[in-house]
Amino acid sequence: MVQLTRILRMACSDQNAANFLNEGKKIVGVALNYMDVVRARNVPVPKEPLVFLKPTSSYLQEGQPIVLPKVFTKVAYEVELGVVIGKPCKNVSKADAMKYVAGYCLALDLTAQCNLGAARAAGHPWTLGKGFDTSTPVSKFIPLDQVKDPHNLPLWLTVNGVVKQKGCTADLIFKVPDIISYVSQYMTLEPNDLILTGTPNGSDAFKAGDVIECGMAELAKLTFKVCAE
């Protein structure tokens, strides 16, 4: 009876997590989290995760276009592993952190570099450059049992058929448990919240009329057309 109850709870949790686009309260991003990016930019390796927030209104599903806001002149793509939280998570250890993961998704963290560059220079928040409408395209939910090792997933992205990003989550500086444990010290991670773990090297600007494709191992593949506002 106990085992049956546990199975039913897990099934219910997975079903709820599959609706993370509608049920999630926040998106937590991590910047500068791949070693190849650190080497390419010749910057110090971060000592702690560089965390920012995005609104859930930035979500975009496949079949809808990426819309470039007219207030921005340079928006870049970033392909990422997304981690969906399964239950309330506060002050958890790295050893226990994976117990709070419901599953995963493939995601793009679109970034208005024109805005972010100025914000960084002035010490201002990144909110506008990270959180605009359609800036977080995501795949369907990928259940936990379909991912053997979240730290060994190839990622790739093409623009108009040309490969622009190619990396692997093995290159993450801060692994999934590191991020969950760190963030949970400051805020409660809630069911259906999404963590964007960072992007490999190759992020660059794209434009209206482009077609962006991206993939993660054999688990997910996405295609988006780009248009201007």
Side-chain angles (χ1 to χ4, degrees), residues 21-44:
L21 280 90
N22 299 316
E23 302 297 331
K25 293 182 179 178
K26 56 185 171 291
I27 303 168
V28 180
V30 181
L32 201 64
N33 198 29
Y34 274 77
M35 282 304 302
D36 61 350
V37 175
V38 169
R39 288 191 292 265
R41 297 183 185 179
N42 194 27
V43 295

Side-chain angles (χ1 to χ4, degrees), residues 103-114:
Y104 303 91
C105 72
L106 172 63
L108 291 174
D109 174 24
L110 305 182
T111 303
Q113 292 181 338
C114 55

Side-chain angles (χ1 to χ4, degrees), residues 6 29 80:
R6 185 180 294 115
E80 312 203 1

Side-chain angles (χ1 to χ4, degrees), residues 97-178:
M98 294 302 292
K99 297 176 183 177
Y100 295 84
V101 176
Y104 303 91
C105 72
L106 172 63
L108 291 174
D109 174 24
L110 305 182
T111 303
Q113 292 181 338
C114 55
N115 177 275
L116 215 64
R120 283 172 174 159
H124 291 168
W126 299 4
T127 307
L128 299 181
K130 284 287 192 180
F132 59 92
D133 292 348
T134 78
S135 67
T136 315
V138 292
S139 72
K140 294 180 180 179
F141 176 74
I142 303 170
L144 191 66
D145 60 5
Q146 291 186 19
V147 181
K148 293 181 180 179
D149 182 0
H151 303 110
N152 189 29
L153 297 173
L155 294 168
W156 59 268
L157 180 143
T158 67
V159 179
N160 303 325
V162 179
V163 176
K164 298 293 185 178
Q165 286 188 282
K166 193 173 183 180
C168 182
T169 57
D171 201 33
L172 284 168
I173 296 170
F174 299 103
K175 309 300 185 185
V176 174
D178 300 326

Side-chain angles (χ1 to χ4, degrees), residues 23-126:
E23 302 297 331
K25 293 182 179 178
K26 56 185 171 291
I27 303 168
V28 180
V30 181
L32 201 64
N33 198 29
Y34 274 77
M35 282 304 302
D36 61 350
V37 175
V38 169
R39 288 191 292 265
R41 297 183 185 179
N42 194 27
V43 295
V45 177
K47 295 181 180 180
E48 297 178 332
L50 304 176
V51 176
F52 58 91
L53 293 176
K54 302 183 70 165
T56 56
S57 57
S58 67
Y59 276 137
L60 181 70
Q61 292 179 283
E62 192 171 28
Q64 301 172 312
I66 293 169
V67 180
L68 297 178
K70 57 187 176 182
V71 294
F72 294 144
T73 58
K74 187 179 183 182
V75 176
Y77 46 76
E78 298 181 8
V79 63
E80 312 203 1
L81 165 67
V83 180
V84 181
I85 297 298
K87 56 185 178 180
C89 175
K90 177 66 176 176
N91 287 326
V92 303
S93 67
K94 294 178 185 179
D96 289 335
M98 294 302 292
K99 297 176 183 177
Y100 295 84
V101 176
Y104 303 91
C105 72
L106 172 63
L108 291 174
D109 174 24
L110 305 182
T111 303
Q113 292 181 338
C114 55
N115 177 275
L116 215 64
R120 283 172 174 159
H124 291 168
W126 299 4

Side-chain angles (χ1 to χ4, degrees), residues 210-228:
D210 286 344
V211 175
I212 294 178
E213 291 185 295
C214 59
M216 181 169 68
E218 303 299 322
L219 298 168
K221 181 181 178 182
L222 294 170
T223 302
F224 291 96
K225 294 181 179 179
V226 184
C227 67

